[in-house]
Amino acid sequence: MGAWKNRFATGDFLRPLGVTMGVMLRIFIFLLVTVLAAAGLLTVLRSPDWLNWKLALVAGEFGHWLALVALALGGAAWVFRTGHGGLAWSTVALSVGAVGLLLKPTWEAVQIGRTLPQELERAFGAGAPRRAAFGVGGYFAAAPKPVAAETREFAPGLKLDFYRAVGRPVAPCVIVIHGGGWDSGDREQLAGFNHWLARLGYAVAAIDYRLAPKFIWPAQREDTLAAMAYVKAHAAELGVDATRLVLFGRSAGGQIASAVGYGTDDAAIRGVVSFYAPHDMFFAYTYAEEDDILKSPMLMRQYLGGPPAAAKANYESASGHQKVRVGSPPTLLVHGTIDTLVWYRHSVRLEARLAAARVPHAYVALPWATHAFEFNLAGPGGQLATYALEHFLAAVTK
């Protein structure tokens, strides 16, 4: 019995099959590198519907750390290559490929970061932050310190979390509208972003709104307007400048932000910010597929009260793209071009519409990014998006 334990511990029990622990270790390293290379492909190719899209988020926004793992594994395979040259060479080659793919976002972020400050200044005027748009050193930045949130009811059954601006007794306010496909999500989504905004010197009101399918559009527009009215009415006690509000939404919240921002005649709305959102609901419905990852047509039908033929007025009023006009609020769009959940063409088309109406705007396209790229504020997408937003807010809320 003791002899068998020793053989198991050393891997000798596999020798009749011609396999040793050393070979197993080399195979294991090869498989790990293969997984990392496959993850790297998610910075180039749109994540397939059958794969969890969050894996693409990890590859895009944390890939620089995974690249170090791939490099270490490739180095280990080379050091212990004796007697297994073919497998070692394959592992090293695959490791090099994985490192290249996983560092692709870093390289592309460097290129975008070189021109982004000038593009933002051309679009919105001065307002550049006192930092680089992107830097590898930013990967080591600490998360922003939390700011206490005050929960308030702004309408019956609806709440907002208010974050006071740090270092400014009276500050512009960013109205944050969460994503979630219109039938899920809440005001606590990606709260770290709100802490960052508050530390930057902006008040933040992260709001809830009524969800589909129980409540259809325009209930969500009414809720956003009610939250804005609440902030204005309580501006003095909240330390908010009621004449300087910015609507910021991500995904489904970005659709609400643009529809409200362009469809409301309110001079207090100084800007609209949308991350990876749809803006033309007719366009969205036309090109959506019933069996896509979100079951998008179903989401739109339950949100807008049916298909376009049956709920045309709701589709029109929910489409910020249809409401752009001369004098619409300045707009910042940020979108990953391989986003699995919302096609980046929404932002491209809205950019063209804004340009035609001569509305100040900027569109930051992230070639490696999928949904929720700002989850990691220190990542390539997080650094560029926060830089663009910091410039935008400073310029439009002067």
Side-chain angles (χ1 to χ4, degrees):
M1 188 68 177
W4 272 105
K5 286 183 178 179
N6 290 334
R7 292 182 68 185
F8 183 83
T10 61
D12 287 350
F13 75 100
L14 293 171
R15 284 183 178 173
L17 301 177
V19 180
T20 66
M21 285 296 288
V23 172
M24 287 191 66
L25 179 60
R26 290 173 175 84
I27 293 173
F28 181 66
I29 291 174
F30 175 79
L31 292 175
L32 283 180
V33 173
T34 301
V35 170
L36 291 172
L41 288 174
L42 296 176
T43 69
V44 179
L45 305 173
R46 178 182 176 275
S47 176
D49 286 349
W50 51 264
L51 188 69
N52 189 324
W53 65 270
K54 293 178 182 178
L55 294 176
L57 173 63
V58 172
E61 301 307 321
F62 297 90
H64 42 285
W65 301 121
L66 296 178
L68 295 178
V69 177
L71 185 63
L73 291 172
W78 178 252
V79 169
F80 299 107
R81 68 188 182 280
T82 304
H84 299 87
L87 183 59
W89 273 109
S90 297
T91 303
V92 170
L94 201 57
S95 170
V96 171
V99 169
L101 289 168
L102 292 167
L103 289 181
K104 173 179 174 285
T106 297
W107 169 252
E108 291 174 331
V110 168
Q111 307 310 308
I112 295 171
R114 287 174 177 170
T115 60
L116 185 58
Q118 295 75 27
E119 293 174 6
L120 294 170
E121 187 162 350
R122 282 195 298 269
F124 308 116
R130 295 179 180 177
R131 62 182 176 93
F134 172 79
V136 173
Y139 288 155
F140 302 93
K145 294 180 180 179
V147 175
E150 306 169 27
T151 300
R152 293 171 173 243
E153 187 174 72
F154 66 86
L158 292 174
K159 296 179 180 179
L160 63 78
D161 286 342
F162 185 78
Y163 303 75
R164 292 182 182 271
V166 175
R168 295 173 75 176
V170 179
C173 184
V174 181
I175 310 294
V176 176
I177 311 170
H178 68 79
W182 306 292
D183 64 354
S184 64
D186 58 41
R187 65 186 185 278
E188 296 179 359
Q189 187 181 78
L190 296 179
F193 202 83
N194 303 333
H195 298 306
W196 171 75
L197 283 170
R199 290 282 172 192
L200 196 61
Y202 295 93
V204 179
I207 71 171
D208 280 336
Y209 52 85
R210 288 171 288 175
L211 300 175
K214 184 176 181 180
F215 299 99
I216 67 171
W217 180 270
Q220 296 74 16
R221 178 181 64 195
E222 295 166 356
D223 296 342
T224 303
L225 292 173
M228 292 168 57
Y230 179 91
V231 169
K232 289 180 181 181
H234 297 81
E237 63 179 285
L238 294 174
V240 165
D241 182 341
T243 67
R244 293 187 291 169
L245 306 180
V246 173
L247 298 178
F248 168 78
R250 50 176 61 93
S251 195
Q255 172 271 317
I256 297 170
S258 65
V260 173
Y262 305 148
T264 304
D265 187 15
D266 186 347
I269 301 176
R270 297 295 189 93
V272 171
V273 182
S274 170
F275 286 4
Y276 44 85
H279 301 285
D280 184 339
M281 304 310 287
F282 294 101
F283 178 79
Y285 196 86
T286 298
Y287 290 98
E289 298 180 1
E290 293 288 350
D291 61 348
D292 67 20
I293 189 171
L294 291 177
K295 305 295 186 289
S296 301
M298 180 272 293
L299 286 180
M300 285 184 279
R301 288 193 296 268
Q302 70 177 17
Y303 174 54
L304 296 168
K312 183 179 179 181
N314 282 353
Y315 277 76
E316 287 179 345
S317 64
S319 297
H321 184 273
Q322 313 288 343
K323 296 182 172 298
V324 173
R325 64 194 186 283
V326 175
S328 287
T331 300
L332 173 65
L333 306 171
V334 190
H335 211 137
T337 61
I338 55 173
D339 193 318
T340 303
L341 306 185
V342 177
W343 195 16
Y344 78 99
R345 290 290 302 172
H346 280 281
S347 292
V348 171
R349 294 177 75 251
L350 181 57
E351 179 194 26
R353 193 66 172 252
L354 292 165
R358 298 186 178 182
V359 175
H361 69 280
Y363 166 43
V364 184
L366 306 178
W368 66 87
T370 187
H371 233 56
F373 49 73
E374 79 278 23
F375 174 80
N376 179 15
L377 295 180
Q383 288 190 50
L384 291 171
T386 53
Y387 180 92
L389 182 55
E390 185 174 347
H391 184 122
F392 177 79
L393 291 175
V396 303
T397 63
K398 289 179 181 176

